[in-house]
Amino acid sequence: MALRKILHYPDPRLRRKAEPVAEVDGEIRALVDDMAETMYDAPGIGLAAIQIGVAKRVVVMDLSEERNRLQVFINPEIIARDGEQIMEEGCLSVPGIFEPVTRAGFVRVRALDREGRTYELEASGLLATCIQHEIDHLDGKVFVDYLSRLKQERIRKKLEKHQRLAM
């Protein structure tokens, strides 16, 4: 396992659309392990492969307090959604920024697990928000896309300044 560098907004690589995984093999399982280690180290509750510069449809999440219930979503697709909820979101690729975002309150997702087995999961609340947030990453979207143009511009400038100062 290895820690990977997390891309920060407005890096254009975050806008790439991730490709489906053709086969869940040792390379994909190693990617999942690296992503989990990177997410836990950050620390975060979710990470999409595109956030570490890998254009594959792979997501890891762990919403548990103990940080011991890793969930793996390979080629995830939302097959049903209902309702609406507003939750404050943050993102490892948009550090230090938290804003309310409106999303579906319930989703049903179909994906492959770490072993390549198909499963379906129904989610509401925080888990539903996280699933939608991470799948957005796979489609080249970042949560700030849901904010006003003015807020997007302020966030971009703030993060660009922070990156310049960090060099």
Side-chain angles (χ1 to χ4, degrees):
M1 293 195 303
L3 286 176
R4 303 280 192 103
K5 183 180 185 307
I6 296 172
L7 303 176
H8 288 161
Y9 177 83
D11 191 309
R13 293 173 287 178
L14 290 169
R15 298 299 184 182
R16 291 191 314 180
K17 198 164 166 65
E19 298 293 322
V21 172
E23 178 186 356
V24 179
D25 55 15
E27 183 179 319
I28 294 298
R29 283 189 284 278
L31 173 63
V32 165
D33 293 343
D34 288 355
M35 288 174 63
E37 184 176 353
T38 302
M39 176 190 70
Y40 287 131
D41 182 72
I45 60 173
L47 186 69
I50 205 77
Q51 291 177 270
I52 59 169
V54 178
K56 295 285 184 188
R57 294 190 73 81
V58 179
V59 168
V60 296
M61 274 183 234
D62 188 340
L63 277 57
S64 70
E65 288 289 323
E66 304 80 20
R67 315 293 282 149
N68 64 357
R69 289 194 208 112
L70 183 69
Q71 294 177 280
V72 176
F73 300 81
I74 299 171
N75 296 337
E77 61 177 314
I78 294 174
I79 55 177
R81 65 178 77 220
D82 192 31
E84 184 176 286
Q85 66 183 1
I86 299 172
M87 293 193 119
E88 189 171 80
E89 294 188 28
C91 181
L92 294 174
S93 291
V94 190
I97 306 295
F98 299 89
E99 293 286 340
V101 176
T102 303
R103 296 189 185 269
F106 167 86
V107 295
R108 177 177 296 134
V109 64
R110 179 182 301 133
L112 302 175
D113 66 12
R114 189 178 188 283
E115 303 307 318
R117 296 178 296 243
T118 301
Y119 71 97
E120 288 186 14
L121 174 73
E122 293 184 348
S124 59
L126 181 59
L127 181 57
T129 291
C130 289
I131 288 169
Q132 292 169 87
H133 176 112
E134 299 303 338
I135 290 176
D136 273 356
H137 276 302
L138 301 179
D139 295 331
K141 287 184 78 175
V142 182
F143 88 96
V144 297
D145 296 347
Y146 292 93
L147 307 177
S148 70
R149 290 273 180 226
L150 179 61
K151 279 190 176 181
Q152 289 177 38
E153 189 62 20
R154 284 184 185 157
I155 291 167
R156 185 183 61 75
K157 285 181 178 179
K158 180 179 180 179
L159 293 176
E160 285 175 342
K161 180 181 178 183
H162 185 268
Q163 288 171 3
R164 280 193 309 274
L165 294 173
M167 290 180 170

